[in-house]
């Protein structure tokens, strides 16, 4: 089991690196370029960058919980309340990302109107929808794991 979880941990690292790169380099460069060229759109871009940083924080928190979940699997304590708690935190982080993209739709609409690029709205809907799917899947896994823990406890009490 260690080999599979090692691969999944490496996958989590690969998923974290692009977002970390964007957070450190990409988002500040986006702000510098927008504020140099157009002062009318600058306040909208500040809101978008705040949304992106909020998304990055929730994303990293969810990745950390996934890493903890993989460690629980390594230590053969996958069927524990700690695993349920990790799934619950992943669920809430995913729903936070969805909420951030839902409330940012007016800002994305303003940018789409200004640049005449409706694809920006589609990207926002796709990112929010993907986070919603992750949240629903984490909720499903949380309920299944809770049921499995209850059945395991019941079987342990039966002699």
């Amino acid at each position: 089991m260690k080999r599979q979880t090692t691969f999944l941990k490496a996958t989590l690292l690969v998923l974290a690196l692009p977002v970390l790169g964007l957070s450190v380099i990409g988002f500040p460069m986006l702000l510098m370029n927008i504020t140099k060229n157009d002062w009318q759109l600058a306040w909208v871009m500040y809101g978008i960058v705040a949304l992106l940083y909020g998304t990055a924080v929730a994303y990293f928190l969810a990745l950390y919980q996934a890493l903890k979940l993989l460690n629980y699997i390594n230590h053969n304590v996958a069927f524990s309340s700690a695993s349920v708690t990790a799934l619950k935190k992943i669920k809430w982080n995913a729903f936070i990302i969805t909420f951030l993209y839902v409330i940012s739709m007016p800002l994305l609409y303003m940018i789409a109107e200004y640049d005449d690029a409706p694809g920006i709205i589609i990207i926002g809907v796709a990112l929010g929808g993907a986070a919603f799917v992750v949240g629903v899947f984490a909720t499903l896994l949380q309920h299944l794991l809770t049921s499995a823990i209850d059945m395991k406890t019941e079987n342990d009490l039966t002699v």
Side-chain angles (χ1 to χ4, degrees):
M1 190 59 107
K2 295 239 187 223
R3 188 171 40 167
Q4 288 90 356
T5 56
T6 303
F7 174 73
L8 291 173
K9 287 178 185 179
T11 303
L12 289 178
L13 179 67
V14 168
L15 290 173
L17 288 177
V19 177
L20 183 64
L22 282 173
S23 297
V24 172
I25 298 169
F27 302 155
M29 287 179 64
L30 179 67
L31 278 180
M32 286 188 291
N33 289 336
I34 289 298
T35 55
K36 285 180 187 175
N37 295 333
D38 189 8
W39 287 98
Q40 296 171 352
L41 194 62
W43 67 274
V44 175
M45 289 308 296
Y46 286 125
I48 294 295
V49 170
L51 158 83
L52 292 173
Y53 275 120
T55 300
V57 168
Y59 180 75
F60 284 125
L61 290 173
L63 285 181
Y64 176 69
Q65 293 302 319
L67 184 65
K68 283 176 58 175
L69 197 56
L70 289 174
N71 285 331
Y72 296 146
I73 292 169
N74 266 349
H75 298 299
N76 292 328
V77 289
F79 292 101
S80 65
S81 62
S83 297
V84 174
T85 304
L87 281 170
K88 193 180 295 187
K89 289 179 182 178
I90 291 171
K91 170 185 74 170
W92 283 112
N93 283 316
F95 287 146
I96 286 169
I97 292 171
T98 302
F99 176 74
L100 287 173
Y101 278 100
V102 166
I103 64 169
S104 71
M105 279 300 142
L107 294 176
L108 294 175
Y109 178 76
M110 286 180 200
I111 292 173
E113 281 292 315
Y114 181 79
D115 284 342
D116 197 26
I120 293 174
I121 296 174
I122 294 171
I123 291 171
V125 169
L127 291 174
F132 184 74
V133 168
V134 169
V136 169
F137 188 68
T139 303
L140 176 69
L141 287 177
Q142 176 191 344
H143 288 298
L144 286 174
L145 187 59
T146 304
S147 297
I149 291 171
D150 290 342
M151 287 193 315
K152 180 180 178 266
T153 305
E154 185 178 314
N155 285 341
D156 287 345
L157 295 176
T158 305
V159 177

